[in-house]
Amino acid sequence: MSLSPAPAVDLGAALSRRAQSMNASAIREILKVTQRPEVISFAGGLPAPELFPIEEVRAAANTVLDRYGPAALQYSTTEGHPPLREWLAAQAGIPAANVQIMTGSQQGLDLLGKVLIDEGDTVLVEAPTYLGALQSFQPYLPRYVQLPTDDGGIDVEALEEVLKTTPAKLLYAVPNFQNPTGRTLSAERRRRLVELTAQYGVLVIEDDPYGQLRFTGEPAPSLYSLGLEFHGDPDRNHVIYSSSFSKTLVPGLRDAWVQAAAPIMTKLIQAKQGADLHTPTFNQMIVAELVQEVLPRQIERVRQAYGERARFMLERVQADFPPEVAYTIPQGGMFLWLTLPQGVDTAALLPAAVERRVAYVPGSPFYALGGGENTLRLSYTSATPAQIETGIHALGDLLRGAL
Amino acid sequence: MSLSPAPAVDLGAALSRRAQSMNASAIREILKVTQRPEVISFAGGLPAPELFPIEEVRAAANTVLDRYGPAALQYSTTEGHPPLREWLAAQAGIPAANVQIMTGSQQGLDLLGKVLIDEGDTVLVEAPTYLGALQSFQPYLPRYVQLPTDDGGIDVEALEEVLKTTPAKLLYAVPNFQNPTGRTLSAERRRRLVELTAQYGVLVIEDDPYGQLRFTGEPAPSLYSLGLEFHGDPDRNHVIYSSSFSKTLVPGLRDAWVQAAAPIMTKLIQAKQGADLHTPTFNQMIVAELVQEVLPRQIERVRQAYGERARFMLERVQADFPPEVAYTIPQGGMFLWLTLPQGVDTAALLPAAVERRVAYVPGSPFYALGGGENTLRLSYTSATPAQIETGIHALGDLLRGAL
């Protein structure tokens, strides 16, 4: 029997409303333009690959295959490799039952969106905020409200005003060395944010991929630990914590985790099971091999390198940029944020920058509801001092011309 | 400043409707009971670990670190490691643009649900069907319609009747050695299914984790290849194909893929980016090292072992089970399906089976809309001949007692 002539199926019409709401990442499209090898790129958000502990990963992979044999390559539990969960739980002073291993922190954000956000629910975000979180939440069709920020992070007075008038489901924040601004939420504000959100019954997702990468200043307590102190019980904590080994160890293994209270964790585990059954067994075992000795050394190494690169980039920015350009002074992490005078459009300027062989990310895509056309993000993690010197000089020239 | 007394936040009330619709996997809960070491378990769906190519994986991991260095541990593209995509595309005779690498085929099902299913959309499923697909689709709140099946798979006459009266978004099927029944859709019915679904504008998700593990009989063309033949263009194919390296190579690396037409692929890539950015770089590179030489050898090895185990289990079933018990005769894959006389409840029988130190999975959870209380699934992949002999004998005793 042969097939009869083929009626065409309208594939586009079959897409869900949720799919229609998704967009290609603006940044992803922009980065394609800036990947020419002669361009000095401050646009990427990649950790410095020359710092990766390749030989330690190799040794761990071999150890894991020796020790676990086929179990290292077999299906495993949804919650995660027990020694890794237990180590993470011990670090946070909570039971392992409150820890779920994720395939990259992006998965943590996706699954939290899945189990928490109904269509039309209000999600409070920093202005600007991490673009990847917006991408993860978007398919669940939330309504965003932007919270004003300054050099101390979220303005908690403004937050209180918003909470008084707006019933919100959750607040999403990156309190340490935020992507994209590099800003850190002050200790005082952290306490107030935890109090206020508890008072108004608003969950908090604390996204903390960079917290360990502080190169100056004093660490502030995590929102999660304040929530724990506040409620006295990890199963009543309204703060959910997400972090990752991508920035401290390596990103290519995709190992991350979420800490949450039991009522949320129960659903998170079910969602994880439907999403990918479990994070790769082999990778979790490799990371578990590395957390005791390699991870602390690696954090120290990355912290020092990024601190030097940040200081050098800030020096060159001070020397080469016109005085009208404001910039953040990060205490850790990977990013620097520039604010140009109103009216300058950094997206429109990008082609001219690429012509001068330097690239950045325009700031506007980081705003959930638009704005920030006069802002841009610079990453200092993967550039050599010579590249920083040349690139910042070229960018300074461009900005002087534009003002 | 210390924190003021803590108002409790109602965490359960914060869950999305979607989360409230999720349930713990019935099978997962059942399996917990059957994991006592003295129990012979035919319940699991795990590939046989003694067949895993551990040393080949070790060698590939080392080669990948030698060849790619830090790039093996860095972030990579959402679509997947180019050599792996290209190899898969070449196997299917399609462009690499129609292939998306997934973190396990469970992720493929989740993301297809995400980009295709709106709340209330009708999804046609086999009765019984793969439980994991139901778990992946459930959060998108579809309405299920069950399709009658027999030993030749989906009854296409009944399918036509359903299509005439029911506007459906998609049909989900496992045409080769289905989980849970072990049944295979006949070649004639495949052509008819592809024609009918095209005619009625219904997308097809062909889930094919076991297709390469045929140990008897003649291979039938995939629904995907028939759709390709039918439309003459991979970007107009209304059949979407999902498969995995979990059953042919190893599951613990979580490497799988989806083949789809451009209008769907565009959204699938965006959904993948929001879900986990990309499948672990290291794992994709390891699999790409293994596909040329190790994979074909491994498929041969697994096929032969499972064929022997299936034949032996069928022999013992014929010898030890009462004649009222009907069973499928799989041509490949991992499962055997038993139908007992109406009125026998296999879930109620399970504790007595475990007391006799043998375990199976009751069939009812595999029915999207209930039914099949008199059915059960047996896996023959991970048992030794002695275990099969002892276990089937014990089960035969139990069934004779129950009838």
Side-chain angles (χ1 to χ4, degrees):
Chain A
M1 186 179 105
S2 77
L3 296 164
S4 33
V9 178
D10 184 350
L11 302 176
L15 296 170
S16 63
R17 287 200 306 124
R18 160 179 341 105
Q20 288 162 22
S21 83
M22 296 176 195
N23 283 305
S25 158
I27 288 189
R28 192 169 180 243
E29 300 308 308
I30 288 166
L31 289 182
K32 283 185 185 162
V33 195
T34 66
Q35 276 166 355
R36 286 158 34 196
E38 71 275 17
V39 174
I40 296 171
S41 181
F42 304 131
L46 302 187
E50 75 276 13
L51 303 177
F52 288 175
I54 301 177
E55 290 314 313
E56 290 84 346
V57 170
R58 185 198 300 272
N62 281 291
T63 301
V64 156
L65 290 172
D66 289 339
R67 182 179 317 141
Y68 296 102
L73 304 172
Q74 184 59 291
Y75 285 112
S76 55
T77 57
T78 301
E79 292 86 340
H81 181 51
L84 186 58
R85 288 177 83 205
E86 280 152 23
W87 183 85
L88 288 164
Q91 300 292 304
I94 55 177
N98 294 104
V99 177
Q100 168 65 55
I101 304 296
M102 295 291 179
T103 309
S105 66
Q106 196 73 27
Q107 183 178 57
L109 299 178
D110 175 40
L111 298 184
L112 285 167
K114 200 175 212 173
V115 305
L116 294 174
I117 301 174
D118 276 318
E119 180 170 355
D121 275 354
T122 295
V123 174
L124 309 177
V125 293
E126 293 160 280
T129 188
Y130 171 52
L131 182 65
L134 298 179
Q135 269 187 287
S136 287
F137 298 156
Q138 187 51 45
Y140 307 113
L141 305 173
R143 191 177 78 88
Y144 290 111
V145 170
Q146 294 193 151
L147 301 172
T149 60
D150 58 26
D151 279 346
I154 293 171
D155 176 344
V156 288
E157 304 302 315
L159 170 63
E160 186 166 14
E161 292 310 307
V162 168
L163 291 172
K164 275 181 188 164
T165 56
T166 313
K169 172 65 72 76
L170 64 89
L171 184 157
Y172 169 79
V174 185
N176 290 317
F177 331 126
Q178 195 224 25
N179 182 359
T181 63
R183 287 169 180 155
T184 295
L185 188 64
S186 71
E188 284 297 284
R189 287 185 179 186
R190 289 178 191 229
R191 288 181 186 273
R192 188 71 187 129
L193 185 150
V194 169
E195 273 183 345
L196 279 171
T197 49
Q199 186 183 331
Y200 285 91
V202 174
L203 301 189
V204 176
I205 298 179
E206 175 179 33
D207 190 5
D208 188 31
Y210 315 109
Q212 306 254 42
L213 303 182
R214 176 179 283 280
F215 41 71
T216 181
E218 284 305 306
S222 68
L223 301 175
Y224 183 86
S225 69
L226 292 172
L228 206 52
E229 183 186 320
F230 195 61
H231 297 285
D233 178 353
D235 286 332
R236 294 162 62 94
N237 197 346
H238 74 293
V239 182
I240 301 161
Y241 182 85
S242 172
S243 190
S244 165
F245 294 103
S246 289
K247 307 304 191 296
T248 52
L249 210 48
V250 294
L253 295 176
R254 315 298 300 123
D255 267 26
W257 74 98
V258 165
Q259 299 164 199
I264 292 160
M265 190 51 84
T266 304
K267 290 297 168 181
L268 212 51
I269 296 167
Q270 291 169 13
K272 167 84 178 164
Q273 204 181 6
D276 69 355
L277 288 183
H278 63 81
T279 294
T281 318
F282 189 43
N283 303 32
Q284 294 186 66
M285 288 176 171
I286 290 173
V287 170
E289 279 306 301
L290 298 173
V291 291
Q292 300 282 0
E293 292 182 13
V294 175
L295 181 64
R297 282 207 310 267
Q298 193 60 23
I299 287 171
E300 200 40 53
R301 200 176 168 207
V302 173
R303 194 188 264 166
Q304 194 170 332
Y306 290 1
E308 283 166 16
R309 291 169 202 188
R311 275 188 294 277
F312 187 63
M313 185 179 273
L314 280 166
E315 265 177 46
R316 301 315 311 156
V317 162
Q318 284 172 313
D320 281 343
F321 278 15
E324 300 91 327
V325 177
Y327 51 89
T328 55
I329 301 181
Q331 301 186 328
M334 302 171 57
F335 304 109
L336 202 68
W337 183 250
L338 266 57
T339 305
L340 281 65
Q342 287 292 342
V344 182
D345 183 337
T346 57
L349 267 184
L350 184 60
V354 173
E355 223 161 88
R356 288 169 194 248
R357 305 190 170 183
V358 58
Y360 57 80
V361 182
S364 188
F366 295 98
Y367 287 78
L369 304 174
E373 288 77 7
N374 60 325
T375 60
L376 64 87
R377 190 190 78 178
L378 298 178
S379 165
Y380 44 77
T381 54
S382 326
T384 63
Q387 288 174 323
I388 290 177
E389 184 151 10
T390 310
I392 293 296
H393 188 76
L395 204 51
D397 270 356
L398 178 73
L399 295 179
R400 251 190 308 278
L403 295 181
Chain B
M1 185 179 104
S2 79
L3 296 164
S4 33
V9 177
D10 184 349
L11 302 176
L15 295 170
S16 63
R17 285 199 307 125
R18 167 179 333 108
Q20 288 163 21
S21 84
M22 297 176 196
N23 284 306
S25 158
I27 286 190
R28 192 169 182 245
E29 301 308 308
I30 288 165
L31 289 182
K32 284 185 184 162
V33 193
T34 66
Q35 277 164 355
R36 285 157 36 196
E38 72 276 17
V39 175
I40 297 172
S41 181
F42 305 130
L46 301 187
E50 74 278 12
L51 303 177
F52 289 175
I54 300 177
E55 291 314 313
E56 290 84 346
V57 170
R58 185 199 300 271
N62 282 291
T63 301
V64 155
L65 292 172
D66 288 339
R67 182 180 316 143
Y68 296 102
L73 304 173
Q74 183 59 290
Y75 284 113
S76 56
T77 56
T78 301
E79 292 87 342
H81 181 50
L84 186 58
R85 288 177 84 206
E86 280 152 24
W87 183 85
L88 287 164
Q91 300 292 304
I94 55 175
N98 294 102
V99 176
Q100 168 66 54
I101 304 296
M102 295 291 179
T103 310
S105 67
Q106 196 73 28
Q107 183 178 57
L109 299 177
D110 175 41
L111 297 185
L112 285 167
K114 200 176 214 172
V115 305
L116 294 173
I117 301 173
D118 276 318
E119 180 169 354
D121 275 353
T122 295
V123 174
L124 309 178
V125 294
E126 294 158 280
T129 188
Y130 170 53
L131 182 67
L134 298 178
Q135 268 186 289
S136 286
F137 298 155
Q138 187 51 45
Y140 307 113
L141 305 172
R143 190 176 78 90
Y144 291 110
V145 170
Q146 294 193 152
L147 301 172
T149 60
D150 59 26
D151 279 346
I154 293 171
D155 176 343
V156 288
E157 304 301 315
L159 170 63
E160 187 165 14
E161 292 310 307
V162 168
L163 291 173
K164 276 179 186 165
T165 56
T166 313
K169 173 64 72 75
L170 65 90
L171 185 158
Y172 168 79
V174 185
N176 290 316
F177 332 125
Q178 196 224 25
N179 181 358
T181 64
R183 286 171 181 154
T184 295
L185 188 64
S186 72
E188 284 298 284
R189 288 185 179 187
R190 288 177 192 229
R191 291 180 185 274
R192 189 72 188 129
L193 185 149
V194 169
E195 275 183 342
L196 279 171
T197 49
Q199 185 185 331
Y200 286 92
V202 173
L203 303 190
V204 177
I205 297 178
E206 176 180 31
D207 190 4
D208 189 31
Y210 316 108
Q212 307 253 40
L213 303 182
R214 177 179 282 280
F215 42 72
T216 182
E218 285 305 303
S222 68
L223 302 174
Y224 183 85
S225 69
L226 292 172
L228 206 52
E229 182 187 320
F230 195 61
H231 297 286
D233 178 354
D235 287 332
R236 294 162 63 93
N237 196 346
H238 74 294
V239 182
I240 301 160
Y241 182 85
S242 171
S243 189
S244 164
F245 294 103
S246 289
K247 306 304 191 295
T248 53
L249 210 49
V250 294
L253 295 176
R254 314 300 299 121
D255 268 26
W257 74 98
V258 165
Q259 299 163 200
I264 292 159
M265 191 50 84
T266 304
K267 291 298 169 180
L268 212 50
I269 296 168
Q270 291 169 14
K272 167 82 178 165
Q273 204 180 9
D276 69 356
L277 289 183
H278 63 82
T279 294
T281 319
F282 188 43
N283 303 32
Q284 294 185 67
M285 289 174 172
I286 290 173
V287 171
E289 279 306 301
L290 299 173
V291 290
Q292 300 283 0
E293 293 181 13
V294 175
L295 180 65
R297 280 208 310 267
Q298 192 61 21
I299 287 171
E300 202 37 56
R301 198 175 171 209
V302 173
R303 196 187 264 167
Q304 193 170 332
Y306 290 2
E308 284 167 16
R309 290 168 201 187
R311 275 187 294 275
F312 187 63
M313 186 179 272
L314 281 166
E315 266 176 45
R316 300 316 310 157
V317 162
Q318 284 173 313
D320 281 343
F321 278 16
E324 300 91 327
V325 177
Y327 50 89
T328 56
I329 301 181
Q331 302 186 327
M334 302 170 56
F335 304 110
L336 202 68
W337 182 250
L338 267 56
T339 305
L340 280 64
Q342 287 293 341
V344 182
D345 183 336
T346 58
L349 266 184
L350 185 59
V354 173
E355 223 162 88
R356 288 169 195 248
R357 304 192 171 182
V358 58
Y360 56 81
V361 182
S364 188
F366 295 98
Y367 288 78
L369 304 174
E373 288 77 7
N374 59 327
T375 59
L376 65 87
R377 190 190 76 179
L378 298 178
S379 166
Y380 43 78
T381 55
S382 327
T384 63
Q387 288 173 324
I388 291 177
E389 184 151 9
T390 311
I392 293 295
H393 188 77
L395 203 51
D397 271 356
L398 178 72
L399 295 178
R400 252 190 307 278
L403 294 181

